[in-house]
Amino acid sequence: MKPIYTSLFVVFTLLLACKETTKPGSEQSEHQVTTIESHGEKHWSYSGETGPEHWEEIEKGSECGGKFQSPINVVNYDEDSKLQPLKISYSDSTHIHDVVNNGHTIQYNFDSGDYITLHNKKYELKQFHFHEPAEHLIDGIRYPMVLHLVHINDAGQYAVLAVMAKEGKSSEAFDFLESHLPIQVGETKIVDIAFDMNLNLPVTKSYFTYTGSLTTPPCSEGVEWFIFKEPITVSLEQVIALRKLMPLNNYRDEQPHNGRSVKVSN
Ligand SMILES: [Zn+2]
């Protein structure tokens, strides 16, 4: 592709991505929920003048400049024997509705059916997406990739599970997910196939937990984070297949703790 065509292509794909953010309509609440972590009103990005250091100024009304942001470096955590195992209710019959490349990440949106229970409230799994490399650090270590499983309850409160992925044996679940790729920026593909989300979880479910924010504009705070201690494994080829479709280094740097404590379950 000649340079001028390349630039036109980039502009065109950005326009497509932009158009989607302003999509009005009946599905507004669902749209809001499923894409809120990945869409802003302007074209925030992961580098340069629209990169994370500028989110606060370009995303008016966002909480990106807040004091209790995510991700963080998970250090100085306290064991808390009162922390309960996570109540995860993922069914093998829940369908993935579609997969979208929104220009920030590859995101799989779910039909209703999968949920977790927190404080006796149901938090529905709306979508999961990828960051490469991972966003949260664990004892200063950054994994090659992370999956964020975004849940929301009736009151609009978020809970996100983070599943770290390290390089190793290939994942059959990823083979299935990636069979719907590649996908271009601004494109949505209907999947409509049952997927057992348990296949993307580690065997051991112990976790770190703290309260932070969405890691993309509008960076809303009050998000309950659950970061599994044990990573899953994916092959290098599986990481590369996703990396090729996402912005380079689509992660936000660590944010200050500002007095927040991190707890770790047994
Ligand atoms: Zn995320």
Side-chain angles (χ1 to χ4, degrees), residues 21 26 143 257:
T21 66
S26 55
Y143 280 93
H257 282 221

Side-chain angles (χ1 to χ4, degrees), residues 149-167:
L149 285 51
V150 182
H151 304 72
I152 192 166
N153 70 11
D154 281 347
Q157 295 163 319
Y158 285 93
V160 184
L161 306 192
V163 180
M164 299 295 175
K166 68 174 184 182
E167 231 175 274

Side-chain angles (χ1 to χ4, degrees), residues 121-170:
K121 281 185 203 137
K122 206 167 165 174
Y123 286 68
E124 272 217 62
L125 175 65
K126 288 295 180 183
Q127 50 103 333
F128 73 91
H129 59 266
F130 305 89
H131 298 272
E132 190 276 316
E135 297 207 295
H136 286 87
L137 304 169
I138 299 179
D139 290 320
I141 306 283
R142 190 182 299 283
Y143 280 93
M145 182 176 274
V146 69
L147 283 72
H148 284 165
L149 285 51
V150 182
H151 304 72
I152 192 166
N153 70 11
D154 281 347
Q157 295 163 319
Y158 285 93
V160 184
L161 306 192
V163 180
M164 299 295 175
K166 68 174 184 182
E167 231 175 274
K169 197 169 157 282
S170 73

Side-chain angles (χ1 to χ4, degrees), residues 39-246:
H39 285 285
E41 287 179 354
K42 292 186 183 171
H43 287 127
W44 60 270
S45 75
Y46 285 101
S47 61
E49 289 177 1
T50 51
E53 317 81 74
H54 302 284
W55 288 354
E56 184 184 355
E57 69 198 63
I58 63 175
E59 295 290 326
K60 304 286 182 227
S62 78
E63 293 183 65
C64 299
K67 288 187 101 174
F68 304 113
Q69 291 285 295
S70 295
I72 59 169
N73 184 7
V74 175
V75 284
N76 300 326
Y77 35 84
D78 303 312
E79 249 198 51
D80 185 345
S81 55
K82 283 179 286 181
L83 280 179
Q84 299 296 310
L86 281 170
K87 290 180 189 159
I88 298 172
S89 308
Y90 292 163
S91 150
D92 60 6
S93 61
T94 306
H95 282 213
I96 293 177
H97 184 270
D98 58 58
V99 55
V100 59
N101 183 346
N102 58 32
H104 307 299
T105 188
I106 302 297
Q107 180 171 310
Y108 290 82
N109 295 312
F110 274 79
D111 283 339
S112 61
D114 283 3
Y115 62 94
I116 59 173
T117 308
L118 283 178
H119 327 297
N120 299 316
K121 281 185 203 137
K122 206 167 165 174
Y123 286 68
E124 272 217 62
L125 175 65
K126 288 295 180 183
Q127 50 103 333
F128 73 91
H129 59 266
F130 305 89
H131 298 272
E132 190 276 316
E135 297 207 295
H136 286 87
L137 304 169
I138 299 179
D139 290 320
I141 306 283
R142 190 182 299 283
Y143 280 93
M145 182 176 274
V146 69
L147 283 72
H148 284 165
L149 285 51
V150 182
H151 304 72
I152 192 166
N153 70 11
D154 281 347
Q157 295 163 319
Y158 285 93
V160 184
L161 306 192
V163 180
M164 299 295 175
K166 68 174 184 182
E167 231 175 274
K169 197 169 157 282
S170 73
S171 153
E172 279 183 37
F174 267 54
D175 279 343
F176 167 78
L177 295 169
E178 293 187 346
S179 68
H180 302 280
L181 306 178
I183 182 168
Q184 304 310 312
V185 172
E187 191 183 349
T188 299
K189 280 186 188 175
I190 299 298
V191 177
D192 197 26
I193 297 174
F195 180 70
D196 186 356
M197 199 56 189
N198 291 296
L199 299 174
N200 274 334
L201 299 181
V203 176
T204 309
K205 304 288 193 296
S206 47
Y207 59 86
F208 301 101
T209 185
Y210 79 103
T211 305
S213 74
L214 300 178
T215 64
T216 57
C219 311
S220 314
E221 295 189 338
V223 175
E224 292 196 65
W225 279 93
F226 300 89
I227 300 154
F228 289 111
K229 282 164 83 173
E230 187 191 327
I232 59 169
T233 64
V234 296
S235 68
L236 178 60
E237 291 73 23
Q238 290 176 322
V239 173
I240 289 172
L242 284 159
R243 178 192 292 163
K244 282 195 296 195
L245 303 175
M246 303 194 295

